[in-house]
Amino acid sequence: MNIYDIVFYLFAAITLVSAFVVVTARNIVYSAFSLLFTFFGVAGLYVLLGADFIAVVQLMVYVGGILVLILFGVMLTNKITSIQIKTGTLQIVPAILGAALMAGVLIKIFAGTNWKSQLAQYPAQTTAYALGRVLLTDYVLIFELLGILLLIALIGAATIARKEEKAG
Amino acid sequence: MEFNTIYNNLFYLVPEIAVSAFLLLVVLADLILGNNKKLLPYLSIAGMIVAGFCVMNQMTFSGAVFSLSGGQAKSFGMVTVDSFGAFFKLLVIVSTVLVILFSFDSEEIKKSTSRQGEYYTLILGMVLGMFLMISATDLILIYLSLELMSLSSYVLAGFTKLRDRNSEAALKYLIYGAVSSGLMLFGISIVYGMTGSTNLYEINALLKSPETNLLPLGFAGILIFAGIGYKISTAPFHFWTPDVYEGAPITVTAFLSVASKAAGFALLVRFIKVTFVSSVAPSGHWMLLPVFPWKELLIVISILTMTLGNFTALWQNNLKRMLAYSSIAHAGYLLLTIAVLSNQGLIAMLVYFGIYAFMNLGAFFIVMIIANKIGSENLEDYKGLGYSMPFLGVTFGMFLVSLIGLPPSAGFIGKLYLFIALVDANMIAVAVIALLNTVVSLYYYIRVLKEMFLSKPTGEPVSLKLSPLSFVMILVMLAPIVIFGVYFTPIVDFAKSCVTILGM
Amino acid sequence: MVQVGLTHFLVISAILFSLGIFGIVTRKNAVMVLMGLELILNSANINFVAFSRYGNFGLNGQVVALFVIVLAAAEAAIALAIVLNIYKTFTTVNVDEIDKLKE
Amino acid sequence: MTEASLLNISLVILFLPLLGFAALIFLGKKIPGSHWLETFIMFSALCLSIYVGFGKLSYYVGKDLISQLTWISLPNVPLLGNINMDLGIKIDNLTAIMLFVVTLISFLVHLFSIEYMKGDSRYSRYYAYLGIFTFSMLGIVLTHNILMMYIFWELVGLSSYLLIGFWFEKKSASDASKKAFLVNRVGDTGMFIGIMILFTNYHTFTFDTIYAQIAAGHLPFNSPAWLTAAGILIFMGAVGKSAQFPLHVWLPDAMEGPTPVSALIHAATMVAAGVYLVARIFVMLTADAMLTIAIIGMVTSFIAATIALTQNDIKKVLAYSTVSQLGYMIMAMGVGAYQYAFFHLVTHAFFKACLFLGSGSVIHAMHHEQDIRKMGGLRKKLPITYATFLTATLAISGVPFTSGFLSKDGLLAGTYAFGLLTGHWIIPAVAFLVALMTAFYMFRLVIITFHGTPRDEHKYDHAHESPFVMALPLVVLATLSVFFWYGTNPMNPSSGWFLSKWVKTPATVVPQQQRFDFMKTEVKEAGAVEETKTAEAAETETVTHSEHYMHAMHQAHYPAMGLSIILGGLGILLAFAMYQWKKIDADKLAEKLGPLYRFSLNKWYIDELYGATFIGGTLALSRALAWFDSKVVDGIVNGTATLTRGLSNIGGLFDKYIVDGMVNGAAYLSGFIGLFFRRFQTGKVQTYVVFVVFSVIILLFIFRPFGF
Amino acid sequence: MAYFPILSFITFLPVLGMLIILMLPGKQEKLIKVLTAVITGLQVVLAGIILHSYNYSLAGVFQQNSFQFIEKFRWIEISGLSWLGTVKVDYFLGIDGISAPMVLLTALISFIATLSSWNISKSVKGFFALFLLLDTGMMGVFVSLDFFLFYVFWELMLLPMYFLIGIWGGPRKEYAAIKFFIYTLVGSVFMLLVMIGLYFSAKEMLPNGTSAFTFNLLSLMDPKNYTATGILSPFNPHNLRFVAYIALFVGFAIKIPMFPFHTWLPDAHVEAPTPISVILAGVLLKMGTYGIIRISYPIFPEITRQLAWFIALFGMINIIYGALCALAQKDFKKMIAYSSVSHMGYVLLGMASLTTVGLNGAIFQMFNHGTITAMLFLIVGVVYDRTHTRGLDDFGGLALKMPVYTFFVTIAFFAAIGLPSMSGFISESFVFLGSFSQDSIRTITMFSTLGILLGAGYMLWALQRVFLGKFNEKWNMLTDLTVREYLMFIPLTIVIFLLGIYPSGMINIMNTSVNSLVDFMNKMPAQFSMLGKF
C-alpha cells in the first residue's frame, strides 16, 4: 500500500463516483459539474500512467472546451428556473441490466486475460517532445486528417447552429 | 521515417490530396463568391473528376505507405493503395458526382441556397473520409476516417433544418453513430492492448502467434464489427437506417445508401481480409485464422439482415423508408459475398455493388423527383402516377425490377454471381434462404408498381415537366441496368481485375 | 490489497464505459446523453494510455488518446449544434419525445 | 370413253357445284341471274353424270375405277414405316348410279326452287348452299376412303345445318338446324371412333386396302369383337345421317327448312347417305353387327310409321314416312338384302323427292299453309300436282307396277328369308306391319289433302297450279317411280337389269365364323347349282350368299309379294274407309285409343325424353361445373387468395395486401414477421442503443471465440 | 443465309422497335402504331424466310447438328470456381420442326394483334412498347435451346403481360393481372428449381477438355452427361427425377392452363383487352405445351412414359371440363376462354400418345388453336368495341345487320368445332388417331371424343344466341366490318383453310422432328432408367 496506490484509488474514486453522479443526478447542472470531476479524475489517472501531456490536454480540452460547450448547451436548452431542468430517466431496468452485463463481461475479460505486461519506465522528461515528434512523423497523416476533421466539424456546427435565413 | 519518405509516400495519396484540396477550394470559393453559389457544385464535380483521374492512375498500384518507424518489419503502413481500393473509390466518386447532380433538382437543397457552400464542403468531407476508410489499414486511421465521414453525414442528415424530421434524423444519427463508434473505439483499444499495435498487418502477424488469448480479441472483433456494421447498416446495428433515411434529404439518403455503404463494405472486407486471413488458397478461398468464427458470424448477421430488411419493408408506405429497408436487405446480400470468404465472393461483391449503386441511386432519384412534384413520398400518393408520368413510371419500374433481380436486368446478374459464389462455397442452404428472401422482396417492389399503374389516380392528375438534366441522368443510370443485364462481361472483367487486396 | 496494476485501470475504464452506456440509455435530456458519450470516449482513452504503459508499446497509445480527445471535442461541437437545432424545432431536448420517425 | 376420262369427268362433276358455291357466295349479289347459273351448272353436272353412268355401266360394269393421290404422308414413322393418307375417288356401279340420282334430284330441286324461293332476300345464298350441299354429297358418293367419307359427311352436315336454318330469323328454324347438327355429331362421333379403330390397325383409310387386310385375316386388335364394334360404330354415322332410332329426332324438325331442301336433303339424298355408307362397309359387317343394324332399322321404321299415322303437318307426315322408309333400307342391309336395300334407296329417292316437291307445290299454292286439316279438295285446283303426288304415293305404298313395289317387295322378301333362315321372325313381322301402316297414312294424307271438300275456302280460292318450272320436276320424278325403268318384269325385280347387272352383293371379308350361316361360303357340290347363280358367280367371282339363302329368297319371294300386296291394299282401303267414305269416324277412333293416339301424336314423347335427360342433364351439369369452377377450383387453387381476403379483411386492406397475400400463405407469415421486426423500430434512439448493447453481448455469447 | 443471325434478329427486332417507340413522343400515336405494325410485319416476313429456307429433312430435337439457324456462343462464363468448375450459359438459339411452327405462329399472331390493337387509346406509347417487349419474350422462348436462356425469356414475358392486362384491362383488371402474375410466377419458381437441379446433375465437355455443369438442353437430354451423384441424375440411386418432373410439369401446366390450374385464364381473358387476349390465347398458352414437349419429354423420357397416362387423363379432363364450363357461360369472351381450355386439352392428349401421329397432331393443334382462337377473340373484340357488352344473351340476329361479320364468325366457329376442310379438323383427328393407337390411353381417347360433340354444342348455341333468331332492335346502330378488321380476319381465314385443305404444308415441317422425338422417347427410357429406379 504505497503512496502510488493511494493516489490511484483516490483518483479512481473521484472518477467513478462523479461519473456515477453524472449519469444519475436528476438535476442537469449537477451532472454537468460532476462531469468536471470525472474529467479531472481521468486526468489524474493519466498522470499516474505517466502520460503527463495527455493529462494536460485532457484538462485543457475537456474541462476547458467540451465541458464549457456542454454547459452552454445546458444553458441554451434549459431555463434554469423551469422545471425542465430536472430531467427524468427512462428504461432503467434494461439500462441497468445492459450496463451491468457489459461491465461484467468487460471485467471478466480484462481480469481473465494475461496481458503482455512489461512495465515501461517513466519517461525521464515530459512526453511532449516525443509526442510532438511522433505526431509529425509517424502520425502526420492522421494529424493532417484531424485538421480537416476539425474544419469540417467547424463548418458543420456552424451550418447547423446558424440561423436559417429565409432565402431561396 | 524521414521527411523524404513522407514526401514519397504522399505520391500514393494523390486522390485524397486532390479531394482535400478541392474541399478547401470550395470553402474558399464559398467565402469569396458570396451569394453566387452557382459555381460550387461544378467545382466539386471537377474535384471528383480530378480525383477520379488520380484513382485511375493508381489502378495498377499496389503498396502501403506511412509505416510506423517503431513497428515490426511486417508493417506495411497505415494506408494501402490497391486495385480493390481503387474500385471502391471510383464507385464513391461516381455516386458522388451523381448525387451532386441530384442536388441540382432537389427542392430541399434549393431551399437552403445560402448554405450550399457548406453542403458541398461536407459532401467532399465525406468523400475524403470514405477514401481513407477504403484504403486505411490502421485501426486509428480507420476510426478517425470513419468519424470524419460520420460527422459530415450527421450534419448533412440534418442539413435542411426547416423540416423537423431532418433535425430528428440528425440527432438520432448522431447519438447512434457516436455510440457505435464509441464501441468500436473501445474494441480498438482492446486490440491495441493485446497486440500493442493498431496496424492491421502487424496485428495479423501477431495473431498468427499461438499465444493469442482469444476472448478479448473476439469481443474486440465484435465491438469493431458493431462500428462498421452500423455504417453498412446490418442488423442488429441497422436501427438508425430507416429513421435517418426517411428523415434526411433524399440526396443525402441516396448518398448514404450507396457511397458510405460502399466505403463501409470496403473497410469491412479489408479489415477481415488483412487482419484475420492467414493465406489465400489457389482456389481463391481465404484461410481464416483460427481466432474468430467470422464466417459464421457473417452468415448469421447477413441472413438476419436480409430477412429483417425484406420483411419489414413489406409494411412500409413511405417510399424512402421502404427503400431504406430494401437497402438493408441488400446489405444482407452483400454481406453474404464476404461470408463466402473467397475471391469469387469478392468478385460477386464488386459486381453486385457496381450494379447496386446505379439502381439504388436511380430509384432514389426518381423518388426525389416525384417528391419534388407531389411533395410526398407516401405510397398512397403514387396512385396512378404511371399515367401522369409515364416515363418516370416506366424507368422507376425498371429500377425496381433490377432491385428485385429479375432477368434481364443487371440486378439479376448481381444476384446470379452472388448465388453462384454461395453455391460454389457449398453454402446451399444460405443460398436458398437468400432466394426466398428475394421472392419476398418481390412483393413490396411490385406493390409500388401496382400503385403506380393499377390504381385509379386519387387526386387530379399531376403532369411533370422533366428537366433535360434529370432526363439525361435517369437514362445514364438506366443504361448500365439495361446493358449489364444482357452484356455484362465488361463489369465482370473490371471486377476481376480489382480483387487484389494488398497483403498475404 | 494487491499491487495496483494494469487490471485496475482496465476495470475502471470498464466501469466508466458501462456508466457511459447507462447514461446514454437512461437520460432523457440530450445533453446528458452527450455526457454519456464523453464517458465512453474517456474510458477508451484510459485503456489506450494504460496499455501503452503496461505493455510498453511506446507512445502510440498516448498519441491515439490525443487524437481521440481532439475528436471528442469536434464531436461535442457538432453534437451540441444539433441539440440546439432540435431545441429550436421541437422546443424540447428530451430524446424520448423525438420519435416521429418510427417503424 | 377411257377410265381416265371417266374419272376426270367425275372429278369435274364433283367440283362443278363447289365452283357454283364459290361464285355465288362471293359475288352472288352482283350476278343478276345467279340462280340460273347455278341451275345450269347442275344441269351440266347431270349430263356429265349420265355420261359417266352410261360409260361405267356399259363398259366397265364389273370393274372399279380408282384414282388417288397422296394427301398427307408421314414417312418413316418409328415402328410403323410410312403412313400415307390418300385422297381419291372410286367409281363402281353404286357410285355411278348414285351420281345420277344425286345430280338429277339436285338439278330438279334447283329448277323447282327458282319459283318456290322467288323473292327471298337471300336468294343467291340459298343457291350457294345448295351448291355446297351437292358438292359434299357427291363427295360422299365418290370417295374411296373412309376419312374423306367422314370429311364430306361433316360437310353435308354443315350444308344441311345452313339450309335448315336458312330462315334463321325463325327461332324454330335455328333450333332445328342446331339440333340437326348436334344429333348428327353424336352419330359422327361414333363413326369417328370406328374410323380410329380401323386406322389404328391398318394405318390407312382406303376401303379396299382395309378390306384386303381383313380378308387376309388381320382383325382389329386381333379380335372379332373389335371388328363388330368397328362396324357398329361406323354404322352410328349412318344412324345419325339416316335418322335412325334413337337419333331420328332431328329429321322431322328439319322440315323447318325450305321444302325443296327437304326434298333434296331430307328425303332423297343426304339421309340416303347413311344407307350408302352401310353399303360401303357392308363387306366388313359381322353377323352381330348386321343383326344390330337390322334391329335398329326395324325399330326405326316401326316407330316412325306409328307416328306418321297421326301427324297433321303435311311435311311432318312425309318426314316420318321418310324415316320409316330409311329404317326399311337399313333393316334390309342388316338382313343382308344388300341389293334390295340399295334398290329401295334409289326408288325411294325418286318418289319421296316427288312427294316432297309435290307437298312443296301444295304449300306454295296454299301460301305456306302446311296443316292438312286446312286443305282438301285440291285435286281440282292442282291436277298435275295431284297426279304426280298420287303416283308417288302408290309407289311408296308398294302398289304393283310402281318402282316402289319392286324394291319394297324385294326388301320384304329379304326380311322374310331372313326369318326363314335365322328364325328372327320379329323382323319380317314388323316389316309387313309397317307396309300396312305406310299405305294407310300415305293415303290418309292424299285423301285429306286433295279429296273431299275444301276446309279453308279462302286459301282454297287463292290456290293455283304451280308454274312450269315447278311442275316439270314433279312429272319427271313421277315417271321415274314407275317400274319399267328398272326392269321389264313388273313382278320380279331381280330379273331387271338394275339388280341382275348393276348392283351385286359384294363378297364379305369377315372371317367365316363371324358370318351368318347363310353367308358362309361352302364348297358347292355340282348338282345343287342353279344356272342363274352360276352365271352370276361366273360374272363376279365372289360368292356372298350361300345356296340355301338363294333358295330361301326364291321361297320367300312370292309369299312376301302376296302379303305385301294384301297389306298395302288393306291399308289403302282403311284410309279410304276412314277419310273418304267416312265409314269409320277417325276422331271417335282416336278417342277410343286415346293413350295410343296421343302417344303417337306426340311422337312417343321422345323429344321430351331427350330434353329431360340428355340435354337437360348436360346443361345442368355444365352449370354445376361452372359454379364448381368459379367457386371451388378457383377457391382451392388460389385458396391463398380467399385466405388473404379472409385474413386481411381486418381494416379492409384486401387490395393493399393482396400482393403480399396472394402468392402463398407464407405472405401472412412474412407480414407478421415484418410486424415483429417492425416492433423494434420504436423511433426512440435510446431504445436502439439498448438493442445494440444487448446484441453485442448476445453476439459475444453466440460466437464465443474458441476456448471461451 | 446461315451466316445471318436471323433468329436473333426475329427475336430482338421488337426490342429495337420498343426503344424507338420509347424515344418517340407519346403524342405520335399514329406513328407508333404504324411502327409496331411494320415491326411485327417484318417479323412475319422473317418467319416466312425461315420457313422458306427450312430444311425438312433435319430432325433436331436432341442432336445439335440437325438443328437449324443455330446461333451459339458463350454468354456467361465464370471460371476458376472450385467445385463448380466453370459456370457457363450459352446464348444458344436454333429451331427444329417443333419450334418452327411456333415461331411462325408467334409472328403471325403478333401482327394480327397489332392490327387489332389499333383503337387502343389509353397511353398508346406504353402499350405498344410493352407489347413489343412481350413479343420478344415469346419469340425468345420458342427459339432458345439453353434452359437458362429459355427461363430468362419466360420471365421476360411475365411483366409486360402483367401490365398489359393490369393497365389496359377491364373493370377487374387488377385482380386478373395479379392472378395471372402470381400463377405464372409460382409456375416459374417451380421451373427454376428444376432448372437448377438439372444444372447440377449434368456436366458437358468444354472445348478445352474440362467438363462443366450445363444448362444446354441438348446436353441434358443425353444420359451420358449426367454425373453419378447429381440430384436429378438417373445414375444417382436416390435421385429426385420423379419429383422434379412433376414440379416442372406443374410449372408448364399452369401456362397451358391445365385443370386445375386453369382458373386464371378466364379472368385474364375477360379482363384483358382484345389484342392481349389474342396474344394470350394465341401464343402464351402454347408455351406450356411447347415447354413440355421441348424440355420435359426428352429430358425425362422414362418418367414421361410412366406418366403418359395421367397426362392423357388431364387432357381428357381439360377437354370435357372446359367444354362443359364453356357451355354454361353467359359471357361471350369467357365462353371462348373456356373453349381454349378445352382445346388445349386436345394438345395434352395428343402429346400423351407419344406417337408420331399424335404428336404431329398436338403441335399442329397448337398452331391451329393459335390461329382459330385468335380469330374468335378478335370476333368478340369486334362486337365488344361496338356495343361494349359481351353477354351472349344481349344480342340476337346480328347476322341480319352484319352479314360479312357473321360470315367470318361462322368460319371461325366451325373451325373451332373442327369442321373438315378447316385446319382444326386435321389436328384434332390426328390427336385422336394418335392417342387411340396408344393402347394405354385408348379408353381415355374414346371418352375425349365427347369433346367433339360438346364443342359443337356450345359453339352453335352461342352462334344461335348471338347471330341467329330475331334481330335485337337495340343494336340498330351496328355497322359491319371495317377495312382494318377485314385485314385482321382475312389472313387468319386463309391460314385456316389453307392448312385444312393442304395440311402437309405444316406437317412436313414437323414430321421429321416428331419422328425422331418419338424414336427418342421409345429408345431413351431404357438408358435413363438404367438403374431401374425413377
Side-chain angles (χ1 to χ4, degrees), chain C residues 38-87:
Chain C
E38 299 303 341
L39 291 187
I40 290 186
L41 294 178
N42 272 284
S43 67
N45 268 355
I46 295 177
N47 276 1
F48 277 112
V49 179
F51 279 130
S52 72
R53 169 166 165 71
Y54 282 91
N56 187 12
F57 299 142
L59 287 173
N60 308 7
Q62 297 195 17
V63 180
V64 173
L66 207 53
F67 292 149
V68 173
I69 292 173
V70 176
L71 186 107
E75 202 170 57
I78 287 185
L80 283 168
I82 289 177
V83 171
L84 290 181
N85 185 28
I86 286 284
Y87 185 67

Side-chain angles (χ1 to χ4, degrees), chain A residues 113 116 142 162 164-165 167, chain B residues 111 114 118 161 194 213:
Chain A
T113 314
K116 55 163 75 81
I142 299 183
R162 114 192 202 195
E164 178 74 42
E165 73 284 352
Chain B
K111 277 209 199 71
S114 65
E118 291 87 330
K161 303 176 290 185
M194 297 180 55
N213 35 26

Side-chain angles (χ1 to χ4, degrees), chain C residues 21 24-27 33 95-96 98-99 101-103, chain D residues 678-679 681-690 693:
Chain C
I21 287 178
I24 293 172
V25 174
T26 50
R27 312 321 304 272
V33 173
V95 180
D96 61 321
I98 302 168
D99 55 358
L101 303 168
K102 62 171 78 166
E103 294 184 326
Chain D
R678 214 164 58 147
R679 282 290 156 53
Q681 209 68 28
T682 58
K684 298 200 186 337
V685 65
Q686 287 161 310
T687 327
Y688 300 164
V689 175
V690 174
V693 171

Side-chain angles (χ1 to χ4, degrees), chain D residues 25-26 71-79 83 85 122 125 147 150-151 154-155 158 161 168-169 171 174-175 178 181-182 185-186 189 192-193 195-197 199-200 205 221 226 618-619 621-623 625-626 628-629 633-634 637-638 645 655 658-659 662-663, chain E residues 175 178-179 182-183 259-260 262-263 267 321 324-325 327-329 338 356-357 360 399-400 407 414 417-420 425-426 429-430 432-433 436-437 442 446 449 452-454 456-457 460-461 463-464 468-470 500-501 503-504 507-508 511 515 518-519 522:
Chain D
I25 201 78
F26 287 119
W71 185 33
I72 305 172
S73 79
L74 305 174
N76 47 46
V77 174
L79 313 179
I83 295 180
M85 306 183 182
R122 293 189 288 278
R125 181 77 61 82
L147 181 65
Y150 181 79
I151 290 176
E154 290 279 321
L155 288 180
L158 169 69
Y161 171 83
F168 57 75
E169 299 89 334
K171 177 92 167 53
S174 56
D175 280 339
K178 190 178 72 194
F181 194 91
L182 290 182
R185 262 280 161 134
V186 177
T189 312
F192 191 74
I193 297 178
I195 294 175
M196 291 199 287
I197 297 177
F199 180 80
T200 305
F205 294 111
F221 308 118
W226 275 105
T618 315
L619 289 183
L621 176 61
S622 73
R623 262 182 246 101
L625 273 185
F628 175 76
D629 192 61
V633 180
D634 210 1
V637 172
N638 59 358
R645 194 180 291 106
D655 270 355
I658 185 164
V659 178
M662 249 182 73
V663 173
Chain E
Y175 174 71
I178 286 168
K179 203 169 175 184
I182 300 308
Y183 268 74
F259 177 90
H262 63 283
T263 47
D267 291 312
Y321 185 92
L324 284 173
C325 287
L327 199 52
Q329 298 308 322
Y338 275 109
T356 301
V357 180
N360 270 322
L400 290 166
F407 173 70
F414 276 99
I417 292 174
L419 192 83
F425 168 74
I426 307 290
S429 354
F430 265 53
F432 280 126
L433 292 169
F436 191 85
S437 62
R442 183 163 297 130
M446 290 199 196
T449 47
I452 307 181
L453 191 56
L454 293 169
L460 292 185
W461 196 24
L463 189 62
Q464 180 189 22
L468 309 182
K470 277 230 136 315
I501 293 161
S504 307
I507 287 175
N508 291 346
N511 189 42
N515 277 337
V518 172
D519 199 36
N522 291 336

Side-chain angles (χ1 to χ4, degrees), chain A residues 12-73:
Chain A
I14 294 173
T15 314
L16 295 182
V17 172
S18 57
F20 185 77
V21 176
V22 168
V23 296
T24 49
R26 300 194 35 72
N27 185 321
I28 185 165
V29 183
Y30 292 173
S31 48
F33 275 104
S34 51
L35 188 60
L36 167 69
F37 290 97
T38 316
F39 291 153
F40 182 72
V42 173
L45 292 176
Y46 289 158
V47 175
L48 285 184
L49 289 168
D52 49 357
F53 185 72
I54 305 296
V56 176
V57 175
Q58 166 91 1
L59 286 179
M60 289 172 70
V61 177
Y62 268 108
V63 180
I66 299 175
L67 191 59
V68 174
L69 260 175
I70 288 180
L71 282 173
F72 269 117

Side-chain angles (χ1 to χ4, degrees), chain B residues 214-233:
Chain B
L214 302 168
L215 178 54
L217 181 73
F219 192 57
I222 291 173
L223 287 174
I224 295 176
F225 181 79
I228 303 174
Y230 125 84
K231 264 290 159 231
I232 61 181
S233 66

Side-chain angles (χ1 to χ4, degrees), chain D residues 78-93:
Chain D
L79 313 179
L80 300 182
N82 300 358
I83 295 180
N84 286 335
M85 306 183 182
D86 300 337
L87 296 183
I89 62 171
K90 165 183 177 180
I91 309 179
D92 58 6
N93 301 352

Side-chain angles (χ1 to χ4, degrees), chain D residues 495-509:
Chain D
S495 62
W497 47 82
F498 190 92
L499 295 182
S500 59
K501 286 213 170 41
W502 299 345
V503 182
K504 293 275 183 309
T505 313
T508 176
V509 296

